[in-house]
Amino acid sequence: ARNVGAGAGARVVDDRDPRPDFSRANFDNRHALAAGANADIWRGLGGGFVFRYYSGYPINETVGSDVNGDGDNTDRPIAGVHDLTQPILSALDSSGRAIRNGIQGEDRLLLDGRFQYIFRFSRYQAGMFLELYNLTNRVNFGDPTGNRNSRNFMVPITAGEPRTMQIGLRLTF
């Protein structure tokens, strides 16, 4: 999905020409795959898995200050001006400015599982279950900041949940 400078605090570089800001939307997750399977294994014993993969949201590379004097600090770096000490990671447009949301964000991969056993007696039903989240225990990093002035520029500092599980009982009457 593409749009023009949408999002909190986002403004176009030049209000007279929004075309340079027409690019990937902030929540453009290019690739997503989800699949699940459940099975009754044997006499009330069941299990299932859910697999999910997301390619990640884009990251907007900014200089971290208001270099053009328009009142916001979402200005993107320009080749030959802002790349003297570190290279610009985003692709550049025809004027040498980093394109909006030009860096691919962190991907996420999750595999969850569930096992259950259901007892049936007369018109009642009782069940025990075990749910496991992030079975592979993969570290799914959050997107880093694209602010070039930050000490954490392009350094992931957050991560999703590690492998966790829960057990439970359920009575249906």
Side-chain angles (χ1 to χ4, degrees), residues 49-52 108-113 132-140 161-164:
F49 293 94
V50 174
F51 171 82
R52 294 172 286 160
R108 289 158 183 79
L109 183 137
L110 295 161
L111 178 64
D112 302 332
L132 302 141
Y133 304 101
N134 194 7
L135 278 167
T136 62
N137 206 27
R138 180 180 191 258
V139 178
N140 289 297
E161 294 290 324
R163 181 184 306 128
T164 57

Side-chain angles (χ1 to χ4, degrees), residues 2-74:
R2 293 181 173 272
N3 67 3
V4 176
R11 294 172 50 173
V12 295
V13 172
D14 182 354
D15 290 334
R16 296 164 294 180
D17 184 11
R19 287 178 293 187
D21 291 296
F22 183 74
S23 64
R24 287 183 68 183
N26 295 345
F27 297 104
D28 181 15
N29 185 18
R30 291 284 165 103
H31 305 97
L33 172 67
N38 289 303
D40 288 328
I41 299 169
W42 180 72
R43 296 187 181 186
L45 179 63
F49 293 94
V50 174
F51 171 82
R52 294 172 286 160
Y53 174 78
Y54 306 100
S55 60
Y57 298 124
I59 299 169
N60 192 26
E61 185 173 6
T62 64
V63 294
S65 60
D66 183 14
V67 295
N68 64 3
D70 66 354
D72 70 65
N73 60 353
T74 59

Side-chain angles (χ1 to χ4, degrees), residues 92-122:
L92 303 176
D93 64 13
S94 60
S95 65
R97 182 183 315 275
I99 63 170
R100 186 174 68 90
N101 292 333
I103 302 172
Q104 179 61 41
E106 298 286 335
D107 67 339
R108 289 158 183 79
L109 183 137
L110 295 161
L111 178 64
D112 302 332
R114 177 184 172 105
F115 300 96
Q116 64 187 20
Y117 189 76
I118 298 174
F119 304 95
R120 291 181 175 82
F121 48 97
S122 71

